[in-house]
Amino acid sequence: MLTCKEWLVCPLSEEKYMNQTSLPFEFHENPEPVAGGGLLDRRLFLRQGLALGSLTFISQGVLASEFDRPAWVLKPGHPFTNYGQPSPNEKEAIRWISSNPAVPGNGISWTPLHMLAGTVTPSGLHFERHHNGVPQIDPNQHRLLIHGLVNNPIFLEMDKLVRYPMVSRFRFIECGGNSNVGWHDEPTQATAGNLHGLVSCSEWTGVPLSIVLEEAALQPSARWLIAEGADAAAMNVSIPIEKALDDAILAIYQNGERIRPENGYPLRLLLPGWEGVTNVKWLRRLEAADQPAMTRNETAKYTELQPDGSARQFTFIMEAKSLITHPSPGHRLQGPGLYQISGLAWSGRGKIKKVEISADGGKSWAEAELQEPVLSKSFTRFRIPWRWDGGKTVMKSRAVDESGYIQPEREKLILERGRNGYFHYNAQVAWGVDTEGRLNHVF
Ligand SMILES: Nc1nc2c(c(=O)[nH]1)N[C@H]1C(S)=C(S)[C@@H](COP(=O)(O)O)O[C@H]1N2
Ligand SMILES: [Mo]
């Protein structure tokens, strides 16, 4: 549920952005909206931001003598530490944990997407899904076994694996169950992170799986790889050989440092763009087989009952999605004025091509600015300026990826998949704005 605290969001200084009459833009004072509800040209901030580079943002009229020196200027600071921590003033930017009290190692934690900016998820805030706790693995004893339908079975220690050539990729990981409250009848009221934060984006570094598989020499009948983790759940899933040979990575580093224990230390399988469960953590075994193993997580779980009674199975790709993170539920707009709408888009099929925003409940749309670089199967940050008139409205976003796939309306998704769903909810998300500047989740 909504945390009691509200994060106040003040309108941007209109005069700083708008009234620079000496600036060479076609709009100075009141840029024309480009869509209903007060959406403005997506390049507004960019262009004026550039030209404003030389302007000072310190309020005029403050005298140096009134500018008291704060306490921390008057005495030496703290000594430094071996490993940095976030500022103690940022205690609210934490993961929200939901675990089974009977089995505390089984549960999830959400990334606080509504508290973060940019595109990289700090490692300590990467979402988590554990089936049986976080194993404490001694990397010197950890081994990866590659066996089954291979001509050269391989037994790899970590110190051998790190001698293979590596690659680095910014890639998101999203649980197939992310956003599943979207299937409910009524919109759940919670923050954007607590509704949609089973997705995170890191820079992963490791060895392309194809290199190691080449060494193992797959037999022609090998069509699947059964991947197994070294946790007490011994979680395992079946992966088509095509994906393993395409862009799968034996990931060793996350955002520059060794993967965090929670995210698979010392070795995890990364299958870019594919549902979280296939990204096996604490990877210890890859068995080449001619058919899938039909494990729990590809039969009882992570399958989807369709309206006609059949089940979708092996629905690996996470389809395009977008989410307005700012402003979002929990944030409170402080009166009418100019705001920046910002959020994240991602697609398991490749790059995000376009994100459109509506500030009038879907009647009209305007294209948001995409922050460079736009990377494949990675978070893309979008932004658009918006002048809120103080009235009640609904804002939404929709993503289009490079395959041409358009993030569906909720009604369309439900029409296609029925109401028995739990996984793969990727419909457009709508936030209602009330006249008090509060945001809430609406369908
Ligand atoms: N060994 C093992 N791998 C696992 C899991 C697990 O419980 N054990 N959970 C899976 C699921 S369901 C998801 S969504 C992702 C979550 O990865 P994260 O905890 O790094 O975010 O890991 C997958 N890999
Ligand atoms: Mo998951």
Side-chain angles (χ1 to χ4, degrees):
M1 290 312 286
L2 251 191
T3 38
C4 44
K5 164 101 187 179
E6 284 177 332
W7 298 285
L8 304 181
V9 186
C10 295
L12 300 165
S13 163
E14 291 263 347
E15 58 190 42
K16 289 284 180 251
Y17 285 100
M18 301 296 182
N19 295 341
Q20 305 301 324
T21 44
S22 59
L23 298 177
F25 306 125
E26 60 266 37
F27 41 73
H28 300 305
E29 277 157 31
N30 265 322
E32 284 297 309
V34 292
L39 288 175
L40 304 176
D41 188 298
R42 66 196 158 103
R43 290 166 302 249
L44 180 68
F45 292 132
L46 284 187
R47 299 153 84 199
Q48 302 217 343
L50 280 179
L52 286 170
S54 58
L55 288 176
T56 170
F57 280 80
I58 295 172
S59 332
Q60 268 134 45
V62 175
L63 298 172
S65 59
E66 293 170 15
F67 186 52
D68 283 343
R69 284 196 272 167
W72 45 85
V73 179
L74 302 174
K75 61 174 197 307
H78 283 211
F80 27 95
T81 55
N82 295 112
Y83 200 96
Q85 295 294 316
S87 161
N89 300 302
E90 300 301 324
K91 286 213 164 72
E92 289 175 41
I94 51 174
R95 292 188 281 226
W96 190 55
I97 298 176
S98 167
S99 67
N100 179 345
V103 199
N106 183 354
I108 46 182
S109 72
W110 279 263
T111 294
L113 297 172
H114 54 290
M115 305 289 293
L116 304 178
T119 52
V120 172
T121 310
S123 301
L125 294 177
H126 195 286
F127 89 89
E128 297 162 272
R129 169 70 181 108
H130 309 305
H131 286 78
N132 203 353
V134 180
Q136 305 301 302
I137 296 179
D138 174 358
N140 297 320
Q141 293 182 43
H142 190 74
R143 307 270 184 283
L144 173 65
L145 173 66
I146 302 183
H147 67 139
L149 299 175
V150 297
N151 290 332
N152 307 318
I154 294 184
F155 206 41
L156 268 177
E157 289 91 8
M158 287 307 294
D159 57 359
K160 280 216 198 100
L161 188 59
V162 295
R163 293 166 61 189
Y164 282 76
M166 296 198 201
V167 295
S168 296
R169 304 274 184 263
F170 285 93
R171 295 292 180 262
F172 73 82
I173 296 179
E174 180 175 23
C175 178
N178 192 25
S179 313
N180 66 66
V181 294
W183 295 114
H184 295 182
D185 292 331
E186 294 297 326
T188 302
Q189 297 308 327
T191 61
N194 300 160
L195 295 171
H196 303 285
L198 296 184
V199 61
S200 306
C201 187
S202 302
E203 187 205 45
W204 301 98
T205 299
V207 179
L209 179 55
S210 58
I211 296 182
V212 183
L213 288 180
E214 197 178 322
E215 202 171 299
L218 291 166
Q219 294 171 6
S221 56
R223 301 312 314 151
W224 295 79
L225 279 186
I226 321 301
E228 184 185 284
D231 49 343
M235 209 212 70
N236 57 352
V237 291
S238 312
I239 288 139
I241 217 79
E242 294 76 19
K243 180 67 173 177
L245 294 172
D246 178 16
D247 59 353
I249 294 173
L250 296 170
I252 302 167
Y253 293 84
Q254 175 184 13
N255 296 329
E257 62 183 358
R258 287 295 178 111
I259 293 179
R260 293 285 170 97
E262 295 84 348
N263 305 116
Y265 181 88
L267 182 65
R268 109 174 277 170
L269 183 60
L270 188 80
L271 296 187
W274 281 26
E275 61 182 0
V277 70
T278 62
N279 293 251
V280 175
K281 301 188 278 188
W282 316 295
L283 184 69
R284 68 182 288 269
R285 208 164 65 86
L286 290 170
E287 181 183 353
D290 57 1
Q291 51 188 328
M294 295 297 178
T295 69
R296 174 177 185 262
N297 277 314
E298 58 208 25
T299 51
K301 303 282 171 185
Y302 296 99
T303 59
E304 300 163 84
L305 187 58
Q306 300 301 290
D308 68 0
S310 68
R312 296 207 315 163
Q313 192 185 15
F314 300 121
T315 44
F316 295 121
I317 295 179
M318 299 307 293
E319 299 284 5
K321 205 153 154 179
S322 66
L323 176 74
I324 296 173
T325 58
H326 297 81
S328 63
H331 297 158
R332 174 100 188 262
L333 304 175
Q334 295 290 285
L338 182 68
Y339 291 87
Q340 187 175 63
I341 294 176
S342 149
L344 294 169
W346 61 97
S347 165
R349 291 191 187 273
K351 291 180 184 170
I352 290 295
K353 194 168 85 189
K354 184 165 80 170
V355 177
E356 292 163 303
I357 307 297
S358 174
D360 58 8
K363 285 204 252 349
S364 64
W365 298 83
E367 207 173 321
E369 187 66 26
L370 302 185
Q371 176 180 287
E372 295 287 343
V374 175
L375 300 172
S376 185
K377 304 171 189 177
S378 178
F379 275 177
T380 296
R381 172 72 55 182
F382 62 83
R383 299 187 172 94
I384 190 167
W386 170 55
R387 192 193 304 285
W388 182 45
D389 63 7
K392 207 170 152 204
T393 188
V394 170
M395 60 171 74
K396 318 165 120 179
S397 63
R398 77 175 168 217
V400 182
D401 70 17
E402 64 178 343
S403 78
Y405 178 92
I406 304 171
Q407 185 185 7
E409 298 263 10
R410 184 162 186 276
E411 297 72 47
K412 182 167 176 272
L413 188 72
I414 287 175
L415 206 67
E416 279 172 15
R417 306 256 197 87
R419 299 306 300 270
N420 304 317
Y422 180 83
F423 297 101
H424 289 275
Y425 184 91
N426 74 320
Q428 294 164 25
V429 175
W431 303 138
V433 183
D434 71 14
T435 53
E436 305 290 303
R438 290 199 177 83
L439 288 102
N440 62 317
H441 183 201
V442 296
F443 280 158

